Amino acid sequence: MKLFEGKSVLIAGGTGSLGKILVSRLLSEESGRPRKIIVFSRDEAKQQDMRVEFKYKRVVTEEVIYRSHSELLEFRIGDVRDFHSIAIAMRDVDIVINAAAMKQVPTCEYFPFQAVMTNIIGAENIVHAIEEHNLPVETVVGVSTDKACKPVNVMGMSKSIQERIIVQANMRCPHTRFICVRYGNVLASRGSVIPLFIDQVRRGGPVTITTPEMTRFLISLNEAVVTIFDAILEARRGETYIPRIPSAKVTDIVNVLIGGRPIQTVLTGIRPGEKTHEILVSEEECHRTVDRGKYYAILPILPELWHEDKVVPALDREYSSENNVMDRLALMELLSQHHLTVEDSQVQQEELLR
């Protein structure tokens, strides 16, 4: 199905790691040729870097032919915190993907209201703009995180409220479908821990570990994009799509990256707001979580938005990173598959220096 054929797609926070892969996949025209792709963000330097990269370089490993960049790909400076800038950018847009976020857990703890401004008020501005100006937006996708499930930190709390704003918006704007996706740590995304570990190993250590018991869900950037695309294709109003993804012990990630190198590890303790284990579906959500093949779908908490006459729960316990942890061999294969090894990092560094 040509999901994006003739559609105008706005990506809020489009200069981030996820945004760049979203743009790359949209430009590949694998799901149809969009009418317009709008990258909306507040960082002019990142926009300029991205503009140059997409105009002059290939940004995925597959062969991709980009056509009509000047007509198809548009960059707009703005901020989801500013109602007027996001409202103007959303005129004549069919699909909005809200990837704008403050996502660093410690930063959100030290600057909690900044997280509120971006993660909560930003989402409300998107909904308010559609409602206030009667914008003909077909679908809005809120990109969330496992930290929004049973949150213990400001980042998770603010994203949890963002999910509720997006879900409830289906009642405020009945002509627009609002849905969410929720997943775990994105491999190699900006600020994620694996590139940090690789850099520490390349420098000879030490490698810093918060606590030996810590586990995390792992998903690649491309898998995160596929989750968004599948949710746009299949999710019903108010649903939250959860991919079935593996998890790993952080100590296993470190040991795989170190290999046989004589590198020391140092325990630093859990950072402000961190959990030992993450959860993608809570025990409170299990009774309204259904099976959707590669995904779990959490039905909206508001009964007015339910589409199911009879719900058959897909889970009888919470979906935690503590369960079904990969062994080291499977983890090694996963990291190698996505070129996340110290050796791959060294090759990439050498190529940049040529």
Side-chain angles (χ1 to χ4, degrees):
M1 178 180 177
K2 299 297 186 181
L3 183 62
F4 299 105
E5 184 69 37
K7 302 294 185 182
S8 177
V9 183
L10 182 142
I11 306 169
T15 52
S17 303
L18 176 65
K20 291 177 71 173
I21 299 299
L22 275 166
V23 170
S24 176
R25 297 286 293 267
L26 288 169
L27 286 172
S28 75
E29 301 180 18
E30 62 187 78
S31 298
R33 177 176 169 78
R35 173 168 51 89
K36 176 76 73 174
I37 302 166
I38 302 170
V39 174
F40 179 87
S41 75
R42 60 184 179 179
D43 192 320
E44 62 177 327
K46 288 179 184 175
Q47 283 199 12
Q48 175 60 14
D49 290 344
M50 192 170 171
R51 182 184 289 109
V52 170
E53 182 175 12
F54 275 83
K55 188 171 183 179
Y56 299 111
K57 301 179 183 177
R58 299 191 188 283
V59 293
V60 289
T61 55
E62 297 85 0
E63 282 293 309
V64 176
I65 299 175
Y66 300 134
R67 306 173 193 159
S68 306
H69 283 268
S70 60
E71 299 174 9
L72 180 58
L73 184 58
E74 177 182 334
F75 292 85
R76 292 188 69 104
I77 293 291
D79 194 334
V80 291
R81 300 175 175 210
D82 174 30
F83 173 76
H84 297 290
S85 68
I86 186 63
I88 292 170
M90 287 168 55
R91 288 186 303 186
D92 199 32
V93 165
D94 301 300
I95 298 169
V96 175
I97 301 172
N98 184 24
M102 277 190 63
K103 62 180 184 176
Q104 296 299 317
V105 170
T107 301
C108 292
E109 291 300 312
Y110 284 106
F111 303 97
F113 190 67
Q114 294 300 313
V116 168
M117 291 284 288
T118 299
N119 298 347
I120 297 177
I121 295 176
E124 169 61 22
N125 282 339
I126 290 172
V127 178
H128 184 197
I130 295 171
E131 182 181 36
E132 178 80 9
H133 299 294
N134 196 28
L135 299 178
V137 177
E138 297 174 2
T139 300
V140 174
V141 184
V143 179
S144 191
T145 167
D146 50 10
K147 293 171 180 61
C149 187
K150 298 176 74 171
V152 300
N153 52 53
V154 172
M155 190 275 208
M157 293 171 187
S158 59
K159 289 297 251 181
S160 181
I161 294 177
Q162 179 184 121
E163 287 185 0
R164 298 299 175 89
I165 289 171
I166 295 295
V167 168
Q168 193 273 337
N170 287 283
M171 299 182 68
R172 296 167 58 183
C173 310
H175 299 297
T176 301
R177 177 183 54 145
F178 293 85
I179 56 178
C180 293
V181 297
R182 183 197 288 174
Y183 45 71
N185 280 29
V186 179
L187 295 167
S189 65
R190 186 177 293 138
S192 65
V193 72
I194 293 179
L196 170 64
F197 287 157
I198 290 174
D199 186 57
Q200 289 176 334
V201 171
R202 287 185 63 243
R203 294 173 184 273
V207 179
T208 54
I209 301 172
T210 53
T211 176
E213 293 81 22
M214 184 172 285
T215 60
R216 287 294 182 265
F217 288 107
L218 300 177
I219 186 171
S220 71
L221 278 166
N222 271 305
E223 289 169 329
V225 169
V226 169
T227 298
I228 293 169
F229 286 1
D230 285 346
I232 293 172
L233 179 64
E234 302 169 358
R236 300 178 181 180
R237 295 161 61 87
E239 291 185 342
T240 300
Y241 257 43
I242 313 286
R244 303 188 187 198
I245 51 179
S247 58
K249 290 185 68 174
V250 173
T251 51
D252 286 342
I253 296 173
V254 169
N255 288 327
V256 166
L257 293 174
I258 289 176
R261 300 175 181 86
I263 292 177
Q264 180 185 10
T265 59
V266 176
L267 292 177
T268 60
I270 291 182
R271 299 181 301 170
E274 277 192 322
K275 287 183 182 179
T276 302
H277 308 292
E278 295 289 2
I279 301 166
L280 274 170
V281 181
S282 71
E283 56 191 11
E284 292 82 8
E285 294 169 322
C286 286
H287 74 279
R288 53 186 174 91
T289 299
V290 297
D291 188 341
R292 292 284 169 79
K294 296 188 302 180
Y295 304 96
Y296 296 117
I298 302 175
L299 304 183
I301 195 169
L302 302 176
E304 294 90 342
L305 297 174
W306 278 37
H307 307 280
E308 310 276 345
D309 294 327
K310 184 178 180 181
V311 176
V312 179
L315 294 166
D316 58 8
R317 61 176 179 173
E318 64 184 19
Y319 183 24
S320 170
S321 64
E322 186 178 11
N323 308 122
N324 302 317
V325 172
M326 288 184 291
D327 60 31
R328 289 191 186 180
L329 180 59
L331 178 59
M332 188 181 304
E333 290 175 355
L334 177 69
L335 296 180
S336 297
Q337 177 186 350
H338 296 289
H339 308 291
L340 292 171
T341 65
V342 176
E343 290 76 16
D344 287 326
S345 175
Q346 184 66 43
V347 170
Q348 292 166 4
Q349 186 78 5
E350 291 171 355
E351 287 177 350
L352 287 173
L353 294 173
R354 286 175 189 165

